[in-house]
Amino acid sequence: EVQLVESGGGLVQPGGSLRLSCAASGFTVSSNYMSWVRQAPGKGLEWVSVIYSGGSTYYADSVKGRFTISRDNSKNTLYLQMNSLRAEDTAVYYCAREMGGSGFDYWGQGTLVTVSS
Amino acid sequence: SYVLTQPPSVSVAPGQTARITCGGNNIGSKSVHWYQQKPGQAPVLVVYDDSDRPSGIPERFSGSNSGNTATLTISRVEAGDEADYYCQVWDSSSDFYVFGTGTKVTVL
């Protein structure tokens, strides 16, 4: 059974850092396209970052230069390192698997990141 | 950047048909995917590649895509279909994934 479990969210001050983790089971992270998608309170879905199976990475303009996506193949886990956090980064962060270019077929339950002083 | 526009809300009576549009420049040339999200839950893929359904999704959910508009159609609407719906594409010009603005479907 495919499962994605996020962790690492919490309350952080503006300018601070946080690392999110997404532990996968039932499939191999490194063989798939994996993304982070976030949703601010009461708002819509916003794509954040992707790491392709070949290792290429891409970021939304809103996080480029501040966030880094990576994976640990030995742990079958996806990460999102978030630096220089801002209030507008407050959101539930989901990790999601892309089904060979045909949409995100599996999502985690989400982890809440709150940036506030 | 590529923009996908959806109506904020759609209301429909039980048993009727709901149509949710997703507008984008020449969206007919892209593959469109649709997600259903209920309060407090993660999104669920209900239609991919314009009109295909993942296993477990009822046949009542269907999609089409042409020109500048993609449409998600929910036939014989049930109370359990009440949710937010998002369209999504991949923009090859930027290697970005783009979500629509979202539509809240209310079952009267």
Side-chain angles (χ1 to χ4, degrees):
Chain A
E1 178 193 7
V2 171
Q3 199 169 12
L4 295 168
V5 179
E6 300 101 335
S7 60
L11 175 63
V12 60
Q13 292 187 338
S17 298
L18 213 54
R19 188 179 81 156
L20 305 183
S21 300
C22 171
S25 57
F27 74 100
T28 302
V29 164
S30 61
S31 298
N32 287 268
Y33 295 0
M34 298 295 298
S35 277
W36 288 96
V37 177
R38 69 183 180 183
Q39 186 170 36
K43 303 297 184 182
L45 300 173
E46 179 189 16
W47 172 77
V48 172
S49 180
V50 63
I51 183 166
Y52 291 145
S53 52
S56 298
T57 59
Y58 295 89
Y59 301 90
D61 290 342
S62 57
V63 306
K64 195 168 186 177
R66 300 187 298 124
F67 290 12
T68 302
I69 190 172
S70 64
R71 66 192 181 205
D72 184 328
N73 297 344
S74 67
K75 296 182 178 179
N76 207 33
T77 298
L78 178 73
Y79 300 100
L80 185 68
Q81 177 67 44
M82 305 185 296
N83 299 331
S84 302
L85 283 162
R86 307 165 179 167
E88 53 265 36
D89 295 318
T90 294
V92 173
Y93 285 73
Y94 298 98
C95 62
R97 185 184 83 166
E98 186 179 357
M99 181 177 59
S102 295
F104 299 111
D105 60 342
Y106 285 97
W107 297 66
Q109 84 287 355
T111 187
L112 176 62
V113 173
T114 303
V115 183
S116 174
S117 55
Chain B
S1 61
Y2 195 75
V3 176
L4 295 174
T5 302
Q6 299 180 233
S9 62
V10 167
S11 298
V12 59
Q16 299 303 303
T17 298
R19 293 180 179 84
I20 305 163
T21 58
C22 175
N25 185 35
N26 197 26
I27 195 174
S29 67
K30 302 179 184 298
S31 289
V32 180
H33 320 299
W34 291 91
Y35 303 88
Q36 175 194 69
Q37 186 181 33
K38 296 181 179 179
Q41 298 183 19
V44 173
L45 182 68
V46 293
V47 167
Y48 66 96
D49 290 349
D50 297 340
S51 58
D52 291 333
R53 279 185 313 277
S55 61
I57 301 301
E59 292 183 5
R60 301 185 297 103
F61 289 84
S62 62
S64 63
N65 184 19
S66 178
N68 292 318
T69 304
T71 303
L72 174 70
T73 301
I74 311 173
S75 304
R76 302 180 300 282
V77 166
E78 302 174 356
D81 298 331
E82 191 163 279
D84 294 326
Y85 291 83
Y86 297 90
C87 56
Q88 178 254 314
V89 301
W90 177 66
D91 180 23
S92 58
S93 65
S94 61
D95 268 310
F96 285 0
Y97 295 76
V98 181
F99 285 94
T101 50
T103 299
K104 181 176 181 59
V105 170
T106 300
V107 180
L108 301 172

